Amino acid sequence: MTLPPSFPTGLHRRDWLLRSAAALGGLGGLALPARAQNAADGRRPRLVVVMLRGAIDGLNVVVPHGDPAYARARPRLAIARPGEDGGALALDRLFGLHPAASPLMAYWQRGLLGFVHASGSPDPTRSHFDAQDYLESGTPGRKGTPDGWMNRLLAGLPGPHSASRALSLGNTPPRIFAGSAPVAFLGTGPKALDPKAIDQARLQRGLAKLYAGQDALSQDYRDATQSRQDMRRSLAQARQRPGGMQDDAPSRDPSADAGAPSARSFAADARRLGELIRADAQTQLAFTSVGGWDTHVNQGGASGQLASRLGALCEGLDALAQGLGDSLQDTVIVVMSEFGRTVHENGTGGTDHGRGNAMWLLGGPLQGVAGGRVLGEWPGLEDRALADGRDLAISTDFRHVLAPLLQGHLGLDDESLARVFPALPARSAPALKLLRS
């Protein structure tokens, strides 16, 4: 492998009208106005968040092979030690990477990939719906939060405005981008920005007359139309590059969680997402999700259900990095899931809803991830150390992983960070050194 250099219910009437018009007129991929940062050196730090819906088994992804309790708890599912048949890929003396994640090992070896183990939400819920809501709202345990933390982040980022500063890839608007700050939406598949009704010249002339005024709704329409034109232009440029986008239709998984595509579908879309971000200098935030991680039955170990999906996910992350090209050096990719799985395997060859998990960080050398390390305090898997007597305990709040990225990478100030993550508890342990100095 060659390495590359739930919207709030109280919507304003004008927002509702514009989004309704977009749906009726086929305005897929349009954005309301947003802001874009222009760094002094011409580079722009970017953040891409990939959410794994369904609760991936972090213990079989970042494998604690050096903890004796791990293999005892999973006689059928445990990944063998590095060097053994079907063994984990060595990371350090305690941890290894699932062998299906081999597409990412080159990033680890170059210091571009890291993990924060035993991380997650402090709320103890085992409900997928509630846990995903808390992860996306950024307010664990509080159900009344009307917006998502990435929308609040978008509103607080420094710099001038642009129509496509934030991009959501998927067919369902995610909770994480709910809020008043406008976001561009792009459907999955290579034909997401193919010509639609809105692109017909006659309809455009009519809408231009309808929204010719100086009111807020007219301005929103003009900015939304410009955003769609910008994204179509960026996609066209990406297709023209050698080895660029291919128009192969991705497979679909109707059982994907909360409308999220399967890992295989993500692998098909990921390079397209990376190339779009790379081609559109205005895009700074992006989000997508991948479903299919609720492995209660026949999870498998080094091979099987989880291994197959994990392999496709890692191929997709590699494709995303390849699509970003030299923009990867200014990008941090965060992979997270709503909670982990039980330490002990169940009676049906799977794992049940747990607590602690592993967050993944992939990024480039400039303002990027200080990779090649598994960070966070490891609580251990002995019975006395388990949460509720059954789960990997959480030693790092997921917000304590995200906060230093938002400040050290994206330049968020303290006041803006407090709005993104209100009531964030102080971290008792020293701050995680996630970024290169």
Side-chain angles (χ1 to χ4, degrees):
M1 179 188 67
T2 302
L3 287 175
S6 94
F7 283 87
T9 55
L11 284 175
H12 295 297
R13 181 174 181 270
R14 65 183 179 88
D15 292 338
W16 182 87
L17 285 171
L18 183 57
R19 289 168 188 170
S20 297
L24 293 173
L27 304 181
L30 289 195
L32 303 180
R35 293 183 290 178
Q37 177 184 6
N38 291 313
D41 61 357
R43 311 199 72 93
R44 178 176 295 107
R46 295 178 169 100
L47 175 69
V48 179
V49 176
V50 180
M51 185 167 178
L52 307 181
R53 299 190 186 275
I56 193 172
D57 181 16
L59 288 172
N60 266 22
V61 175
V62 184
V63 181
H65 60 80
D67 190 322
Y70 166 73
R72 291 199 302 267
R74 299 183 169 202
R76 292 176 293 175
L77 301 185
I79 307 299
R81 290 175 175 272
E84 299 179 6
D85 186 33
L89 306 171
L91 299 179
D92 57 32
R93 289 184 296 178
L94 177 57
F95 297 106
L97 196 59
H98 192 292
S102 60
L104 298 185
M105 276 303 293
Y107 297 94
W108 171 269
Q109 292 161 354
R110 289 190 54 183
L112 306 182
L113 174 67
F115 302 93
V116 182
H117 222 319
S119 58
S121 170
D123 187 88
T125 182
R126 300 184 194 279
S127 160
H128 290 297
F129 178 82
D130 288 343
Q132 289 181 25
D133 182 81
Y134 296 151
L135 205 66
E136 295 184 78
S137 70
T139 56
R142 188 195 303 177
K143 290 191 175 183
T145 304
D147 47 14
W149 70 260
M150 286 193 77
N151 195 280
R152 298 194 296 273
L153 168 62
L154 177 60
L157 283 176
H161 291 265
S162 170
S164 56
R165 194 176 198 183
L167 171 63
S168 177
L169 175 66
N171 297 318
T172 303
R175 174 78 166 90
I176 203 166
F177 267 138
S180 59
V183 176
F185 293 93
L186 177 66
T188 56
K191 301 184 184 302
L193 282 178
D194 279 2
K196 295 180 173 64
I198 186 58
D199 299 308
Q200 297 176 8
R202 182 177 179 182
L203 180 57
Q204 285 186 346
R205 288 194 297 270
L207 289 172
K209 292 180 180 179
L210 180 63
Y211 297 111
Q214 299 302 313
D215 59 287
L217 181 58
S218 297
Q219 185 60 50
D220 283 348
Y221 169 74
R222 288 191 291 271
D223 288 334
T225 304
Q226 184 62 50
S227 173
R228 177 170 175 81
Q229 292 173 351
D230 290 345
M231 285 198 293
R232 292 189 68 195
R233 186 180 304 111
S234 297
L235 282 172
Q237 291 172 354
R239 287 192 178 104
Q240 292 171 2
R241 289 196 189 100
M245 298 179 184
Q246 303 298 318
D247 286 336
D248 50 323
S251 59
R252 305 301 301 170
D253 181 0
S255 65
D257 300 353
S262 68
R264 182 57 60 189
S265 294
F266 170 68
D269 279 318
R271 185 180 183 98
R272 185 175 303 111
L273 174 61
E275 293 193 338
L276 177 58
I277 295 171
R278 177 186 179 187
D280 188 344
Q282 300 177 15
T283 301
Q284 192 171 6
L285 303 180
F287 174 84
T288 191
S289 59
V290 182
W293 307 104
D294 197 17
T295 50
H296 289 280
V297 180
N298 297 327
Q299 175 176 307
S303 61
Q305 180 183 181
L306 176 63
S308 176
R309 296 173 186 175
L310 180 61
L313 171 66
C314 293
E315 289 174 3
L317 291 170
D318 179 38
L320 174 59
Q322 296 288 336
L324 284 166
D326 56 6
S327 295
L328 179 63
Q329 63 188 344
D330 305 305
T331 304
V332 174
I333 301 168
V334 177
V335 182
M336 59 185 188
S337 195
E338 66 262 36
F339 46 68
R341 316 292 298 185
T342 49
V343 173
H344 290 264
E345 63 186 51
N346 61 27
T348 57
T351 51
D352 298 320
H353 298 177
R355 293 290 306 283
N357 211 327
M359 294 178 69
W360 314 13
L361 303 171
L362 174 63
L366 299 181
Q367 299 183 342
V369 172
R373 298 178 296 165
V374 180
L375 299 171
E377 179 184 352
W378 180 246
L381 299 180
E382 295 292 338
D383 288 344
R384 65 180 179 274
L386 301 183
D388 300 330
R390 53 175 271 173
D391 300 321
L392 173 65
I394 293 173
S395 59
T396 302
D397 189 312
F398 75 96
R399 294 168 294 178
H400 286 140
V401 179
L402 296 169
L405 298 178
L406 304 191
Q407 292 199 292
H409 180 56
L410 296 179
L412 212 64
D413 59 33
D414 290 341
E415 183 178 350
S416 297
L417 180 65
R419 288 194 291 268
V420 175
F421 295 128
L424 174 63
R427 180 172 168 80
S428 56
L432 296 172
K433 294 183 179 180
L434 301 175
L435 299 173
R436 298 175 185 273
S437 57

